[in-house]
Structure formats: structure tokens, C-alpha cells
Amino acid sequence: MCQDRVMKLLIFGFIAGFLLQECHASPHPASSSLSKERRGGTTAEEDDYNYDDEDEPSKELGTNDVNGADLNTMLLTKNHTVETEINDTVTLPCRVTNPQNNTIVMWFKTTTLLYVRDNKHSKDPRLSLGSDYSLTIQNVNVEDDSIYKCIVYPVNKSAYITLKVRGPPYNVMITHGNNDHTNRNLVIQQRDRKFIIHCRASGFPTPLISWSFRGKHLDENHAKQTGINIRKEFLEIHDVKPHHAGDYECLAQNGIGEPVSAAVNVQIKSMPSIAKHIDYLNTAIGDTAELVCLYHSDPTAIKIQWFRGDEPLHDSAKFTISRDHHNHHMRTRLTVKDVEQKDLVTYVCKITNNLGEAMAKTTLGLLPGAAHLANFSYSDGLLHTIWRVRSVQPLSDLQILYKGENTKYTTIDATISEQNKEENGDFWNIKRSIRLPEGEWFITARAKNTEGWAYTETVPLQFQIPGEVSLENRAPGGSSGASIRQVSSASLAVLVLLAVLRRMH
């Protein structure tokens, strides 16, 4: 409001000064040759524009002298939009009838002054003013896409002309709040719980926006899996987690030229989190055992500690603590040398940063580790399974437990020999086939070595066999390379892996 008032005062001051100069120069001012041309009627360019009220001058301008003695000045151009192409020449009209000596026409691009009468205030050589007050722009570029305004004084009338330049997207940027973070880092505190980023893009037609995260397109399913909500040009996360850190990219495209992108690297500051560890690790007396914690910490961890029970551990002849990176995670390892009976206890890794701490426990023992279903296939009514177990000691038994939806668990044994042990390692691979009809099933297993049975079975895998199908090289959870093959072309049955893990009751 204040800015408009100041602008009006400046303009009226300019008009008053101009009229005062005219009065001193001649008591009976004559029309300039340019003014005569401007009073001389319409041009061919003006005839290209049609206006609803061309023949109906505004009553606000006063009474017209029908004898032509002193017709009032009027602005006939109405607010409208003009479309053009890059490199074209475009003319924006400002149609004024009956201009007087005191008539002043001003052109603005948004708030930037371009012309006052014939006086050019812009340094852009592509701009020129016609004798009919029209503004011409040569070699149009995308930066010319804007709102232009012509104002006529002293009648104080104006027309807004929106220039739309057809071209590829430009000025693509990613903002958070009111700040531009394009190709920069954006730091988010996890305790804030939520953040929104906005992809802005100019261009005509209006660009369409799509998003990707860590190089993968964020379609509806992928966005839902990662806890991200996409609303056109807005990307929202309502429950910030460490895994939301990474590169976000927005792509703007409108069918003209090549798509244009912008990116931002989001850093999530949070208390540490444990990405992976083993609850139980099998070992043997006299062996060397390695306990591992994969973790995430941003800000950087200021303490990485290992405990045996409540006893803090340090590098020594008995223990070695190391740190490195593994599969996009930070890793700390505790090596226990020459394992003794007193070492068969629970160990704790503790990660601390400026925002908090995280802990994970691993028990070191002589019993076998959990039995994991590494692979399976199904054909001819048989479920063929391969179980993987870690045990330094020889395995003597493997029990497979399975049940239907409304039945009790049935136990079967698998045959084990030294041939089941991997050549260079402490893992055993045991095969066993089970005859199962179609239906919903739960399956788990446990192993026994020379020290006894494992403490617990693995979490059972729930799956459904609705018809005659064959599973080939399929691991629980749908690992890459898995496939499902129908064995009967007449059968429409498809194996539905529920991937729902439950604990046995």
C-alpha cells in the first residue's frame, strides 16, 4: 500500500513538472509530430485486437464533445494473455484514443519500469516502443515470460498483459520453507518428525513434476514403502526416520525440449540406530569369535563401546575393537580371542552421539545358531527346503516343524552328514522335502549339535499354496532373482507369498 502511494506521488510529481515546463515554453502548446500521429486514428496492428467496448467510451472519463472539439483520452486495451514462442517477435498493445499533450504512457514488467513516454528506462536492446504506444519484444526468451502493465496518465487507467512464452521448463528449484536448497544439503532433525520439500518450476505449458529417491522413481508403491507422501510438486514425510536420508530429485517436463531436474541431499540428524546384529553367535572353546554391530549415526558417534555383561571392554590381548563401513552402514566389531567358558556370556554394543544412544545384545555360546530357510521349491505336492545353520561343532539333528492353519505342529527329521558342511566355513546346508497339499502353512526348524539343541526355533514363515504351482530358487521375503512358474497351463493358481512372520505360540 505504501509502495503504491509513493509511486503515485512520484508519477504525479513527474506530470506536474512536465506541465510546468510546457507552460513556460508556450502559452499555446502545439501538438508534436508524434502526438499528431497518435491522434490520427488506429493502425493495422491495432485492428488485430477486438474489444467489447470499443465503441462505448467509459463514462468515468467525462462527456465527449460529439463535434470533435475535445474528445477525452481513453485506454481501450483490456487485461488479456498473449502466447508466443522462443525467438519470436511479439507486440503488446496499449491502445490509447485521443492522446493529449499531457498524456503519459508508462510500461512496466511487473514492478520494473521500461518506458515513460518515449524515454526508455530499460537497457534491453530487444525492446522498442511503437508510435501507437505498443511494446515490441524481439528474439523472445523464457525470461520474458511475465506480467506487463501499461498505465495512462492523467486518466490513471491501466491494462495488464500476461505474456506466456512456450518453452521447456526452467528455473527448477527445490525449496524447504522459504529457502532454496537446490543442489545443496538440507539438514533435518528427526525429533521434528515431519518435513516437506517443494519443487518449483517455471515454463509454459505448466511443467509436470515427478520425484525420485536415491536414483529410484517414487511411484505410488515405492513411496508408500519408504514412508513418503507425494502430492504433485510437494514431497512430504510425516514420520522422519534415518533411512529417509539421501538424494531427492525432482524432474520437470512439459513436452517441450528435454526434462529439467533439481536435487537436494537430505541429512537426517538423529540418535543412533542399530541396523543389524546377531542375537546369538555360535562358537567353540579355544576359537576366535567376531561379534558385529551395523549402525547408523548422524551426527557422528562420539562413543562406540562394547561390554561383557556390565564390564566395559577395551583393546587388549584378549579383545580387539574395530570400526569401518559395510554396505552403506557404519560397523563396529568385537573380536574375542581364545574363547573360554567365562566368555560365553551376553555382550552389548553401545553407540552414543550428541542426540542419544542405541544398544544391541549378542550372546556367545556353544549351541548351534538358528536354522534359516535359505531356499525352497514346490512341485508334485512336495515342498523342497534347504536350511542353513551355523555351528562350529558337528550337527547331529535338524527338526523341521510345520502345521496348517488349524492344526498342531508336525515334526520331521532331516538326515545330516559331513557333506552338508560348507568346505571353508562353519555353516551347514541341510535339504529336506515335505509332502504338502494346497493350503496355508507355517514352517520352522531347529538344529542340534554335540552341545545340545538350539535355544529357539527360527521365526516361522507363513505361506499359501492355492494350486498346482512350482517355486524355483525362491527365498523367504522375495529376494532378487526369485521366480514363480506355473506347471499347468490350465491352472490359474499363483503362489501368494504373504511374507508375514509370526512367532510360534
Side-chain angles (χ1 to χ4, degrees):
M1 182 66 73
C2 292
Q3 185 178 1
D4 292 341
R5 291 178 180 174
V6 171
M7 179 61 76
K8 289 180 179 179
L9 288 173
L10 290 173
I11 293 171
F12 284 126
F14 175 85
I15 295 172
F18 173 80
L19 293 178
L20 187 59
Q21 291 178 4
E22 291 286 328
C23 289
H24 284 301
S26 173
H28 302 288
S31 300
S32 66
S33 60
L34 180 60
S35 297
K36 289 179 181 178
E37 291 176 8
R38 291 175 178 168
R39 291 199 298 267
T42 62
T43 66
E45 289 183 358
E46 291 173 329
D47 290 338
D48 292 339
Y49 298 89
N50 296 320
Y51 303 95
D52 295 337
D53 58 349
E54 277 193 25
D55 299 324
E56 296 180 11
S58 172
K59 294 180 181 180
E60 295 179 4
L61 301 180
T63 305
N64 293 337
D65 184 349
V66 295
N67 295 322
D70 189 20
L71 295 175
N72 288 328
T73 301
M74 292 186 297
L75 173 63
L76 298 183
T77 299
K78 301 296 183 182
N79 299 341
H80 66 285
T81 298
V82 175
E83 296 183 8
T84 188
E85 306 282 342
I86 293 177
N87 296 326
D88 278 1
T89 295
V90 65
T91 297
L92 309 180
C94 184
R95 192 174 181 189
V96 180
T97 62
N98 195 34
Q100 305 297 311
N101 286 341
N102 64 344
T103 299
I104 297 176
V105 176
M106 305 177 71
W107 272 100
F108 289 85
K109 179 182 179 182
T110 58
T111 60
T112 302
L113 180 62
L114 303 178
Y115 274 95
V116 177
R117 279 195 165 181
D118 297 326
N119 298 317
K120 188 175 182 180
H121 289 256
S122 170
K123 296 181 180 180
D124 191 339
R126 301 175 303 123
L127 304 184
S128 61
L129 189 69
S131 60
D132 58 352
Y133 303 109
S134 61
L135 177 69
T136 297
I137 307 174
Q138 296 179 333
N139 297 321
V140 170
N141 60 50
V142 293
E143 299 298 332
D144 297 321
D145 191 295
S146 185
I147 297 176
Y148 295 79
K149 179 181 180 181
C150 75
I151 309 176
V152 180
Y153 289 103
V155 295
N156 196 22
K157 295 296 179 180
S158 59
Y160 291 88
I161 302 173
T162 302
L163 181 61
K164 292 290 188 182
V165 180
R166 294 179 61 86
Y170 64 99
N171 288 345
V172 181
M173 65 178 68
I174 297 177
T175 61
H176 176 252
N178 295 322
N179 299 317
D180 180 10
H181 289 275
T182 307
N183 300 324
R184 302 176 187 171
N185 295 329
L186 171 60
V187 177
I188 300 295
Q189 301 290 336
Q190 186 179 359
R191 61 173 176 264
D192 294 337
R193 304 289 295 172
K194 172 182 177 179
F195 79 89
I196 300 174
I197 52 179
H198 181 204
C199 182
R200 304 173 184 266
S202 301
F204 179 72
T206 302
L208 298 177
I209 303 297
S210 59
W211 288 92
S212 63
F213 175 49
R214 295 180 181 174
K216 184 175 181 180
H217 175 63
L218 278 171
D219 57 22
E220 184 177 354
N221 291 334
H222 182 44
K224 186 175 181 180
Q225 291 171 1
T226 52
I228 298 174
N229 183 31
I230 302 295
R231 292 191 302 109
K232 296 183 178 178
E233 69 268 27
F234 292 94
L235 184 148
E236 303 176 355
I237 296 179
H238 296 278
D239 188 13
V240 177
K241 301 292 185 185
H243 71 261
H244 289 132
D247 291 328
Y248 292 80
E249 183 181 33
C250 73
L251 190 70
Q253 49 190 335
N254 63 358
I256 301 177
E258 295 296 324
V260 182
S261 64
V264 61
N265 176 259
V266 174
Q267 300 175 357
I268 307 297
K269 304 295 183 180
S270 65
M271 60 188 295
S273 61
I274 305 299
K276 185 177 181 181
H277 76 288
I278 299 175
D279 292 325
Y280 179 86
L281 180 65
N282 168 264
T283 188
I285 300 298
D287 272 11
T288 296
E290 184 180 78
L291 290 70
V292 178
C293 264
L294 298 180
Y295 67 93
H296 172 87
S297 181
D298 192 359
T300 303
I302 56 177
K303 276 187 182 180
I304 300 175
Q305 299 169 287
W306 282 92
F307 297 84
R308 181 172 62 178
D310 296 328
E311 174 194 358
L313 302 177
H314 306 281
D315 283 331
S316 64
K318 181 72 173 178
F319 302 104
T320 301
I321 299 174
S322 62
R323 307 178 192 177
D324 59 7
H325 287 79
H326 180 73
N327 290 342
H328 307 293
H329 292 290
M330 287 164 280
R331 176 172 65 176
T332 177
R333 292 181 286 179
L334 172 68
T335 302
V336 183
K337 303 166 189 172
D338 192 17
V339 172
E340 306 172 65
Q341 192 67 36
K342 66 178 183 179
D343 298 323
L344 304 178
V345 294
T346 297
Y347 294 79
V348 177
C349 73
K350 181 179 179 181
I351 315 297
T352 306
N353 67 16
N354 291 329
L355 299 178
E357 62 184 34
M359 294 186 294
K361 297 180 179 180
T362 300
T363 299
L364 197 60
L366 304 179
L367 300 177
H372 297 282
L373 182 58
N375 217 328
F376 64 88
S377 62
Y378 183 84
S379 62
D380 300 327
L382 288 175
L383 178 66
H384 309 286
T385 64
I386 300 177
W387 299 88
R388 197 163 190 259
V389 181
R390 175 189 168 95
S391 179
V392 178
Q393 301 80 3
L395 284 185
S396 57
D397 291 284
L398 179 76
Q399 287 186 340
I400 300 173
L401 299 88
Y402 65 94
K403 78 179 193 73
E405 187 176 8
N406 300 311
T407 62
K408 295 182 178 180
Y409 275 97
T410 299
T411 302
I412 61 172
D413 295 323
T415 303
I416 299 177
S417 69
E418 282 294 325
Q419 294 180 348
N420 297 118
K421 189 176 182 180
E422 294 180 0
E423 185 175 351
N424 298 313
D426 298 322
F427 284 93
W428 300 67
N429 296 297
I430 303 103
K431 298 180 180 180
R432 183 65 160 92
S433 297
I434 312 166
R435 183 166 297 280
L436 293 176
E438 62 183 88
E440 187 174 58
W441 298 94
F442 299 82
I443 189 167
T444 185
R446 63 172 184 166
K448 179 183 179 182
N449 64 12
T450 53
E451 301 293 331
W453 287 100
Y455 282 126
T456 59
E457 301 87 5
T458 54
V459 176
L461 173 69
Q462 178 186 354
F463 61 94
Q464 187 173 18
I465 304 175
E468 190 179 347
V469 296
S470 175
L471 288 82
E472 297 178 344
N473 300 324
R474 181 86 181 193
S479 60
S480 60
S483 64
I484 300 175
R485 178 176 62 85
Q486 243 177 317
V487 297
S488 172
S489 59
S491 173
L492 297 178
V494 177
L495 178 72
V496 180
L497 289 179
L498 301 179
V500 177
L501 302 179
R502 303 178 187 168
R503 294 194 177 277
M504 297 176 60
H505 298 290

Short mmCIF file of all heavy atoms in Angstrom, two decimals, residues 228-278:
data_model
loop_
_atom_site.label_atom_id
_atom_site.label_comp_id
_atom_site.label_asym_id
_atom_site.label_seq_id
_atom_site.Cartn_x
_atom_site.Cartn_y
_atom_site.Cartn_z
N ILE A 228 6.93 -42.13 2.29
CA ILE A 228 6.96 -40.81 1.65
C ILE A 228 5.61 -40.57 0.98
O ILE A 228 5.02 -41.45 0.36
CB ILE A 228 8.09 -40.74 0.61
CG1 ILE A 228 9.45 -40.92 1.30
CG2 ILE A 228 8.04 -39.42 -0.15
CD1 ILE A 228 10.61 -41.00 0.33
N ASN A 229 5.11 -39.34 1.12
CA ASN A 229 3.84 -38.96 0.51
C ASN A 229 4.11 -37.94 -0.59
O ASN A 229 4.70 -36.89 -0.34
CB ASN A 229 2.90 -38.36 1.58
CG ASN A 229 1.53 -38.02 1.02
OD1 ASN A 229 1.07 -38.67 0.09
ND2 ASN A 229 0.90 -37.00 1.56
N ILE A 230 3.67 -38.25 -1.81
CA ILE A 230 3.87 -37.36 -2.95
C ILE A 230 2.54 -36.67 -3.27
O ILE A 230 1.53 -37.32 -3.50
CB ILE A 230 4.36 -38.12 -4.20
CG1 ILE A 230 5.66 -38.86 -3.90
CG2 ILE A 230 4.54 -37.17 -5.37
CD1 ILE A 230 6.82 -37.95 -3.58
N ARG A 231 2.55 -35.34 -3.30
CA ARG A 231 1.39 -34.54 -3.73
C ARG A 231 1.85 -33.59 -4.83
O ARG A 231 2.23 -32.47 -4.57
CB ARG A 231 0.79 -33.76 -2.57
CG ARG A 231 0.13 -34.59 -1.50
CD ARG A 231 -0.68 -33.75 -0.53
NE ARG A 231 0.11 -32.72 0.13
CZ ARG A 231 -0.02 -31.42 -0.13
NH1 ARG A 231 -0.86 -30.98 -1.04
NH2 ARG A 231 0.73 -30.55 0.52
N LYS A 232 1.85 -34.11 -6.07
CA LYS A 232 2.30 -33.33 -7.22
C LYS A 232 3.70 -32.78 -6.97
O LYS A 232 4.65 -33.52 -6.87
CB LYS A 232 1.28 -32.24 -7.55
CG LYS A 232 -0.07 -32.80 -7.98
CD LYS A 232 -1.03 -31.69 -8.37
CE LYS A 232 -2.36 -32.27 -8.85
NZ LYS A 232 -3.33 -31.21 -9.20
N GLU A 233 3.82 -31.46 -6.85
CA GLU A 233 5.16 -30.87 -6.68
C GLU A 233 5.65 -30.89 -5.24
O GLU A 233 6.78 -30.47 -4.96
CB GLU A 233 5.19 -29.43 -7.22
CG GLU A 233 4.39 -28.44 -6.41
CD GLU A 233 2.96 -28.28 -6.90
OE1 GLU A 233 2.41 -29.23 -7.49
OE2 GLU A 233 2.39 -27.19 -6.69
N PHE A 234 4.84 -31.40 -4.32
CA PHE A 234 5.22 -31.47 -2.91
C PHE A 234 5.61 -32.89 -2.53
O PHE A 234 4.97 -33.87 -2.94
CB PHE A 234 4.08 -31.00 -2.01
CG PHE A 234 3.77 -29.54 -2.12
CD1 PHE A 234 2.78 -29.09 -2.97
CD2 PHE A 234 4.47 -28.61 -1.37
CE1 PHE A 234 2.49 -27.75 -3.09
CE2 PHE A 234 4.20 -27.26 -1.47
CZ PHE A 234 3.21 -26.82 -2.34
N LEU A 235 6.68 -33.02 -1.73
CA LEU A 235 7.10 -34.31 -1.17
C LEU A 235 7.07 -34.17 0.35
O LEU A 235 7.72 -33.28 0.90
CB LEU A 235 8.49 -34.69 -1.66
CG LEU A 235 9.03 -36.05 -1.23
CD1 LEU A 235 9.93 -36.64 -2.31
CD2 LEU A 235 9.80 -35.97 0.08
N GLU A 236 6.31 -35.05 1.01
CA GLU A 236 6.10 -34.93 2.45
C GLU A 236 6.51 -36.22 3.15
O GLU A 236 6.26 -37.32 2.65
CB GLU A 236 4.63 -34.64 2.76
CG GLU A 236 4.09 -33.38 2.10
CD GLU A 236 2.61 -33.20 2.37
OE1 GLU A 236 2.00 -34.10 2.99
OE2 GLU A 236 2.05 -32.16 1.95
N ILE A 237 7.14 -36.08 4.29
CA ILE A 237 7.43 -37.20 5.17
C ILE A 237 6.90 -36.84 6.55
O ILE A 237 7.30 -35.82 7.13
CB ILE A 237 8.94 -37.50 5.23
CG1 ILE A 237 9.43 -37.93 3.84
CG2 ILE A 237 9.26 -38.57 6.27
CD1 ILE A 237 10.91 -38.22 3.76
N HIS A 238 5.97 -37.64 7.06
CA HIS A 238 5.29 -37.31 8.30
C HIS A 238 5.88 -38.02 9.51
O HIS A 238 5.51 -37.71 10.64
CB HIS A 238 3.80 -37.64 8.18
CG HIS A 238 3.08 -36.80 7.16
ND1 HIS A 238 2.65 -35.53 7.42
CD2 HIS A 238 2.77 -37.05 5.87
CE1 HIS A 238 2.07 -35.02 6.34
NE2 HIS A 238 2.15 -35.93 5.38
N ASP A 239 6.77 -38.99 9.27
CA ASP A 239 7.41 -39.69 10.39
C ASP A 239 8.87 -39.93 9.98
O ASP A 239 9.22 -40.97 9.44
CB ASP A 239 6.70 -41.01 10.69
CG ASP A 239 7.22 -41.67 11.95
OD1 ASP A 239 7.94 -41.01 12.72
OD2 ASP A 239 6.90 -42.86 12.18
N VAL A 240 9.71 -38.95 10.26
CA VAL A 240 11.09 -38.96 9.78
C VAL A 240 11.88 -40.08 10.44
O VAL A 240 11.87 -40.24 11.67
CB VAL A 240 11.76 -37.60 10.06
CG1 VAL A 240 13.22 -37.63 9.63
CG2 VAL A 240 11.02 -36.49 9.32
N LYS A 241 12.58 -40.87 9.60
CA LYS A 241 13.44 -41.95 10.07
C LYS A 241 14.83 -41.77 9.44
O LYS A 241 14.97 -41.09 8.41
CB LYS A 241 12.87 -43.31 9.65
CG LYS A 241 11.47 -43.60 10.19
CD LYS A 241 11.48 -43.77 11.70
CE LYS A 241 10.09 -44.18 12.21
NZ LYS A 241 10.05 -44.24 13.68
N PRO A 242 15.85 -42.39 10.03
CA PRO A 242 17.19 -42.28 9.44
C PRO A 242 17.27 -42.74 7.98
O PRO A 242 18.05 -42.18 7.20
CB PRO A 242 18.04 -43.17 10.35
CG PRO A 242 17.36 -43.11 11.68
CD PRO A 242 15.89 -43.07 11.35
N HIS A 243 16.45 -43.72 7.59
CA HIS A 243 16.53 -44.21 6.22
C HIS A 243 15.98 -43.21 5.20
O HIS A 243 16.10 -43.42 3.99
CB HIS A 243 15.80 -45.56 6.07
CG HIS A 243 14.30 -45.48 6.16
ND1 HIS A 243 13.60 -45.77 7.31
CD2 HIS A 243 13.37 -45.11 5.25
CE1 HIS A 243 12.31 -45.61 7.10
NE2 HIS A 243 12.15 -45.22 5.86
N HIS A 244 15.39 -42.12 5.66
CA HIS A 244 14.92 -41.09 4.74
C HIS A 244 16.06 -40.16 4.29
O HIS A 244 15.83 -39.29 3.45
CB HIS A 244 13.81 -40.25 5.39
CG HIS A 244 12.52 -41.00 5.55
ND1 HIS A 244 11.81 -41.02 6.72
CD2 HIS A 244 11.83 -41.77 4.68
CE1 HIS A 244 10.73 -41.77 6.57
NE2 HIS A 244 10.73 -42.23 5.33
N ALA A 245 17.24 -40.35 4.83
CA ALA A 245 18.39 -39.55 4.39
C ALA A 245 18.81 -40.01 2.99
O ALA A 245 18.73 -41.20 2.66
CB ALA A 245 19.55 -39.68 5.37
N GLY A 246 19.25 -39.07 2.17
CA GLY A 246 19.71 -39.41 0.83
C GLY A 246 19.39 -38.32 -0.17
O GLY A 246 18.94 -37.23 0.18
N ASP A 247 19.61 -38.63 -1.45
CA ASP A 247 19.39 -37.66 -2.52
C ASP A 247 17.96 -37.75 -3.04
O ASP A 247 17.50 -38.83 -3.42
CB ASP A 247 20.37 -37.91 -3.67
CG ASP A 247 21.80 -37.58 -3.30
OD1 ASP A 247 21.99 -36.66 -2.49
OD2 ASP A 247 22.72 -38.26 -3.80
N TYR A 248 17.28 -36.60 -3.07
CA TYR A 248 15.95 -36.49 -3.66
C TYR A 248 16.08 -35.64 -4.93
O TYR A 248 16.76 -34.62 -4.94
CB TYR A 248 14.98 -35.82 -2.69
CG TYR A 248 14.64 -36.65 -1.48
CD1 TYR A 248 15.51 -36.71 -0.40
CD2 TYR A 248 13.46 -37.39 -1.42
CE1 TYR A 248 15.21 -37.48 0.72
CE2 TYR A 248 13.16 -38.16 -0.31
CZ TYR A 248 14.04 -38.20 0.76
OH TYR A 248 13.74 -38.96 1.87
N GLU A 249 15.40 -36.08 -5.98
CA GLU A 249 15.47 -35.37 -7.25
C GLU A 249 14.07 -35.15 -7.79
O GLU A 249 13.23 -36.07 -7.76
CB GLU A 249 16.30 -36.15 -8.27
CG GLU A 249 16.46 -35.43 -9.60
CD GLU A 249 17.28 -36.24 -10.60
OE1 GLU A 249 17.18 -37.49 -10.56
OE2 GLU A 249 17.99 -35.64 -11.42
N CYS A 250 13.79 -33.93 -8.25
CA CYS A 250 12.52 -33.69 -8.93
C CYS A 250 12.79 -33.44 -10.40
O CYS A 250 13.81 -32.83 -10.77
CB CYS A 250 11.76 -32.52 -8.29
SG CYS A 250 12.43 -30.89 -8.63
N LEU A 251 11.90 -33.92 -11.25
CA LEU A 251 12.04 -33.82 -12.69
C LEU A 251 10.85 -33.03 -13.23
O LEU A 251 9.69 -33.39 -12.99
CB LEU A 251 12.09 -35.21 -13.32
CG LEU A 251 12.48 -35.28 -14.80
CD1 LEU A 251 13.96 -34.93 -14.96
CD2 LEU A 251 12.22 -36.68 -15.34
N ALA A 252 11.13 -31.93 -13.96
CA ALA A 252 10.08 -31.10 -14.54
C ALA A 252 10.06 -31.29 -16.05
O ALA A 252 11.10 -31.19 -16.70
CB ALA A 252 10.33 -29.63 -14.19
N GLN A 253 8.88 -31.56 -16.61
CA GLN A 253 8.77 -31.74 -18.05
C GLN A 253 7.39 -31.25 -18.52
O GLN A 253 6.39 -31.43 -17.82
CB GLN A 253 9.00 -33.19 -18.45
CG GLN A 253 8.21 -34.21 -17.66
CD GLN A 253 8.68 -35.62 -17.95
OE1 GLN A 253 9.24 -35.93 -18.99
NE2 GLN A 253 8.45 -36.52 -17.00
N ASN A 254 7.37 -30.62 -19.69
CA ASN A 254 6.10 -30.13 -20.23
C ASN A 254 5.91 -30.47 -21.69
O ASN A 254 5.08 -29.86 -22.38
CB ASN A 254 5.98 -28.61 -20.02
CG ASN A 254 7.06 -27.84 -20.77
OD1 ASN A 254 7.91 -28.42 -21.42
ND2 ASN A 254 7.02 -26.52 -20.67
N GLY A 255 6.70 -31.43 -22.20
CA GLY A 255 6.55 -31.85 -23.59
C GLY A 255 7.33 -31.04 -24.57
O GLY A 255 7.30 -31.31 -25.78
N ILE A 256 8.04 -30.01 -24.09
CA ILE A 256 8.87 -29.18 -24.97
C ILE A 256 10.32 -29.31 -24.52
O ILE A 256 10.64 -29.05 -23.36
CB ILE A 256 8.43 -27.70 -24.93
CG1 ILE A 256 6.97 -27.57 -25.36
CG2 ILE A 256 9.32 -26.84 -25.81
CD1 ILE A 256 6.44 -26.16 -25.29
N GLY A 257 11.18 -29.70 -25.42
CA GLY A 257 12.58 -29.84 -25.06
C GLY A 257 12.82 -30.99 -24.10
O GLY A 257 11.98 -31.87 -23.90
N GLU A 258 13.98 -30.99 -23.47
CA GLU A 258 14.36 -32.04 -22.54
C GLU A 258 13.87 -31.72 -21.13
O GLU A 258 13.79 -30.55 -20.74
CB GLU A 258 15.88 -32.21 -22.51
CG GLU A 258 16.48 -32.69 -23.83
CD GLU A 258 16.01 -34.09 -24.19
OE1 GLU A 258 15.83 -34.91 -23.26
OE2 GLU A 258 15.83 -34.37 -25.39
N PRO A 259 13.53 -32.76 -20.33
CA PRO A 259 13.17 -32.52 -18.93
C PRO A 259 14.33 -31.87 -18.18
O PRO A 259 15.50 -32.06 -18.53
CB PRO A 259 12.88 -33.92 -18.39
CG PRO A 259 12.59 -34.76 -19.60
CD PRO A 259 13.44 -34.18 -20.70
N VAL A 260 13.99 -31.12 -17.17
CA VAL A 260 14.99 -30.42 -16.35
C VAL A 260 14.82 -30.89 -14.91
O VAL A 260 13.70 -31.03 -14.42
CB VAL A 260 14.83 -28.89 -16.44
CG1 VAL A 260 15.90 -28.19 -15.62
CG2 VAL A 260 14.90 -28.45 -17.89
N SER A 261 15.94 -31.15 -14.22
CA SER A 261 15.87 -31.69 -12.87
C SER A 261 16.58 -30.80 -11.87
O SER A 261 17.40 -29.95 -12.23
CB SER A 261 16.47 -33.10 -12.81
OG SER A 261 17.86 -33.05 -13.11
N ALA A 262 16.24 -31.01 -10.61
CA ALA A 262 16.93 -30.38 -9.49
C ALA A 262 17.02 -31.41 -8.38
O ALA A 262 16.19 -32.31 -8.28
CB ALA A 262 16.17 -29.14 -9.01
N ALA A 263 18.04 -31.31 -7.54
CA ALA A 263 18.26 -32.31 -6.49
C ALA A 263 18.59 -31.64 -5.17
O ALA A 263 19.04 -30.48 -5.13
CB ALA A 263 19.37 -33.28 -6.89
N VAL A 264 18.36 -32.39 -4.10
CA VAL A 264 18.73 -31.94 -2.76
C VAL A 264 19.18 -33.16 -1.97
O VAL A 264 18.62 -34.25 -2.10
CB VAL A 264 17.55 -31.23 -2.05
CG1 VAL A 264 16.37 -32.16 -1.88
CG2 VAL A 264 17.98 -30.69 -0.69
N ASN A 265 20.23 -33.00 -1.18
CA ASN A 265 20.71 -34.08 -0.33
C ASN A 265 20.18 -33.84 1.08
O ASN A 265 20.51 -32.85 1.73
CB ASN A 265 22.24 -34.12 -0.31
CG ASN A 265 22.77 -35.18 0.65
OD1 ASN A 265 23.20 -34.88 1.75
ND2 ASN A 265 22.73 -36.43 0.22
N VAL A 266 19.32 -34.75 1.53
CA VAL A 266 18.69 -34.63 2.85
C VAL A 266 19.51 -35.41 3.87
O VAL A 266 19.80 -36.59 3.68
CB VAL A 266 17.23 -35.14 2.83
CG1 VAL A 266 16.64 -35.14 4.23
CG2 VAL A 266 16.40 -34.27 1.90
N GLN A 267 19.90 -34.74 4.92
CA GLN A 267 20.64 -35.36 6.01
C GLN A 267 19.75 -35.38 7.25
O GLN A 267 19.23 -34.34 7.66
CB GLN A 267 21.93 -34.59 6.30
CG GLN A 267 22.88 -34.53 5.11
CD GLN A 267 24.11 -33.68 5.37
OE1 GLN A 267 24.23 -33.07 6.44
NE2 GLN A 267 25.00 -33.62 4.41
N ILE A 268 19.55 -36.57 7.80
CA ILE A 268 18.69 -36.74 8.97
C ILE A 268 19.56 -36.80 10.21
O ILE A 268 20.37 -37.72 10.36
CB ILE A 268 17.81 -38.00 8.87
CG1 ILE A 268 17.03 -38.02 7.55
CG2 ILE A 268 16.87 -38.08 10.06
CD1 ILE A 268 16.05 -36.91 7.38
N LYS A 269 19.42 -35.85 11.08
CA LYS A 269 20.15 -35.85 12.34
C LYS A 269 19.28 -36.52 13.40
O LYS A 269 18.15 -36.09 13.65
CB LYS A 269 20.49 -34.42 12.77
CG LYS A 269 21.28 -33.62 11.74
CD LYS A 269 22.66 -34.22 11.50
CE LYS A 269 23.48 -33.39 10.53
NZ LYS A 269 24.81 -33.95 10.27
N SER A 270 19.82 -37.57 14.01
CA SER A 270 19.02 -38.34 14.96
C SER A 270 19.94 -39.06 15.93
O SER A 270 21.15 -39.13 15.75
CB SER A 270 18.14 -39.35 14.23
OG SER A 270 18.95 -40.32 13.57
N MET A 271 19.33 -39.64 16.96
CA MET A 271 20.08 -40.51 17.85
C MET A 271 20.47 -41.76 17.07
O MET A 271 19.86 -42.08 16.05
CB MET A 271 19.23 -40.87 19.07
CG MET A 271 17.93 -41.58 18.76
SD MET A 271 16.88 -41.78 20.21
CE MET A 271 17.91 -42.87 21.20
N PRO A 272 21.50 -42.49 17.48
CA PRO A 272 21.94 -43.67 16.72
C PRO A 272 20.86 -44.73 16.62
O PRO A 272 19.92 -44.78 17.43
CB PRO A 272 23.14 -44.17 17.53
CG PRO A 272 23.56 -43.03 18.39
CD PRO A 272 22.31 -42.26 18.69
N SER A 273 20.99 -45.58 15.62
CA SER A 273 20.10 -46.73 15.47
C SER A 273 20.93 -47.93 15.02
O SER A 273 21.88 -47.78 14.26
CB SER A 273 18.99 -46.45 14.46
OG SER A 273 19.53 -46.18 13.18
N ILE A 274 20.57 -49.11 15.52
CA ILE A 274 21.25 -50.35 15.14
C ILE A 274 20.58 -50.90 13.90
O ILE A 274 19.37 -51.18 13.91
CB ILE A 274 21.21 -51.38 16.28
CG1 ILE A 274 21.79 -50.78 17.57
CG2 ILE A 274 21.96 -52.63 15.88
CD1 ILE A 274 23.24 -50.36 17.48
N ALA A 275 21.34 -51.05 12.83
CA ALA A 275 20.77 -51.55 11.58
C ALA A 275 20.71 -53.08 11.56
O ALA A 275 19.75 -53.65 11.05
CB ALA A 275 21.60 -51.05 10.40
N LYS A 276 21.73 -53.75 12.12
CA LYS A 276 21.74 -55.22 12.09
C LYS A 276 22.73 -55.74 13.12
O LYS A 276 23.80 -55.19 13.30
CB LYS A 276 22.13 -55.71 10.70
CG LYS A 276 22.05 -57.22 10.52
CD LYS A 276 22.37 -57.61 9.09
CE LYS A 276 22.27 -59.11 8.88
NZ LYS A 276 22.62 -59.51 7.49
N HIS A 277 22.32 -56.80 13.78
CA HIS A 277 23.22 -57.53 14.67
C HIS A 277 22.67 -58.94 14.83
O HIS A 277 21.55 -59.24 14.40
CB HIS A 277 23.33 -56.84 16.04
CG HIS A 277 22.15 -57.05 16.91
ND1 HIS A 277 20.93 -56.44 16.66
CD2 HIS A 277 21.96 -57.83 18.02
CE1 HIS A 277 20.06 -56.82 17.57
NE2 HIS A 277 20.65 -57.66 18.41
N ILE A 278 23.46 -59.84 15.44
CA ILE A 278 23.04 -61.24 15.66
C ILE A 278 22.74 -61.43 17.13
O ILE A 278 23.56 -61.08 18.00
CB ILE A 278 24.14 -62.21 15.20
CG1 ILE A 278 24.40 -62.03 13.71
CG2 ILE A 278 23.75 -63.65 15.50
CD1 ILE A 278 25.56 -62.87 13.19
#
